[in-house]
Amino acid sequence: MDGFQAWLAEQAPERVAGDIDTCRKWLVDDFLAAAPSKKLGVVGFCYGGGRLVETLARDADAACFSAGVCFYGSRMDASLGAQIAAPVLFVCGDGDPLCPVETVRELERSARGAKAAVYAGRGHGFAHRPESLEDDGDAEEAFAMMKSWLHDHLLA
């Protein structure tokens, strides 16, 4: 946590939001013009998951994003849920102190089309850093769920 707190202190929220908005603008202006699909999805893990919630709330009027997947988002602001227009899949473990299940459930209730997948006994980072065979099985399931979610909302 010490290394994370030091890294986090260097991440000015305005700069992070600006970086995300710059990438979104590039995707909309350049990529979507040539892409077979006119829908964008966004995926965020941990700190990026928390920023995903903010990004989708800012995007509600522009509607650039058609779906999101948030893996164990940290520092998520549940009050933004009602501003989110794109459907979001929230993936977390019930043993994750950085991603409280209560926050995820509140976002699931308030964000349109949101769904929560809460894995019993799993902690922070279980999907990309499995520490047991059980973690690995749940990670495989979570990634398959993400793939299906993005397919259903971006390609179907």
Side-chain angles (χ1 to χ4, degrees), residues 55-137:
T55 299
L56 292 178
R58 281 195 317 275
D59 183 63
D61 291 334
C64 295
F65 293 106
S66 297
V69 180
C70 177
F71 278 83
Y72 27 83
S74 65
R75 293 174 163 73
M76 292 189 294
D77 183 351
S79 71
L80 297 174
Q83 298 173 43
I84 297 173
V88 183
L89 172 64
F90 292 96
V91 177
C92 67
D94 66 1
D96 185 347
L98 300 176
C99 181
V101 173
E102 301 78 28
T103 302
V104 170
R105 292 292 186 204
E106 187 175 339
L107 284 162
E108 180 183 33
R109 284 188 299 273
S110 61
R112 288 164 280 187
K115 177 182 177 183
V118 180
Y119 288 84
R122 300 295 163 249
H124 195 73
F126 78 90
H128 70 277
R129 284 192 311 263
E131 296 178 356
S132 69
L133 289 175
E134 292 80 13
D135 275 2
D136 194 49

